[in-house]
Amino acid sequence: PREVRADIALYKAKLIDSLKNYSGKMLISDLVAGVIVAIIALPLSIALAIASGATPAQGLYTAAIAGLVKLMERRLARSERHS
């Protein structure tokens, strides 16, 4: 439990640090990248869900969760690079 709490504290510190260094230029580039990925990933995730026998909604949920994981990974990598 102590290691988990330490990891959570480190994650929060990195997240706060990366938000302090976040600029408007980074916001624009992140938005453009998000739109481009959505244009490609959403229809693909729906098609893959249908092809595998799942519902289109399950494909969208999968795409959303994968996007959130990637966002967290990117934020942590960016904060680690500057430390």
Side-chain angles (χ1 to χ4, degrees):
R2 281 188 174 183
E3 295 86 21
V4 172
R5 279 188 253 145
D7 289 342
I8 291 172
L10 181 62
Y11 171 77
K12 286 181 180 180
K14 289 180 181 181
L15 182 64
I16 291 170
D17 185 50
S18 68
L19 290 175
K20 287 179 183 177
N21 297 323
Y22 198 76
S23 67
K25 184 178 179 183
M26 290 167 49
L27 176 65
I28 292 171
S29 65
D30 284 346
L31 287 175
V32 169
V35 168
I36 292 169
V37 168
I39 289 170
I40 295 168
L42 293 180
L44 179 64
S45 63
I46 292 171
L48 289 173
I50 292 170
S52 67
T55 64
Q58 289 172 324
L60 290 175
Y61 291 139
T62 302
I65 291 170
L68 290 174
V69 168
K70 184 63 179 173
L71 178 66
M72 291 188 307
E73 177 189 38
R74 184 174 179 197
R75 290 287 150 232
L76 287 174
R78 185 177 287 170
S79 65
E80 287 175 359
R81 195 174 350 145
H82 292 291
S83 55

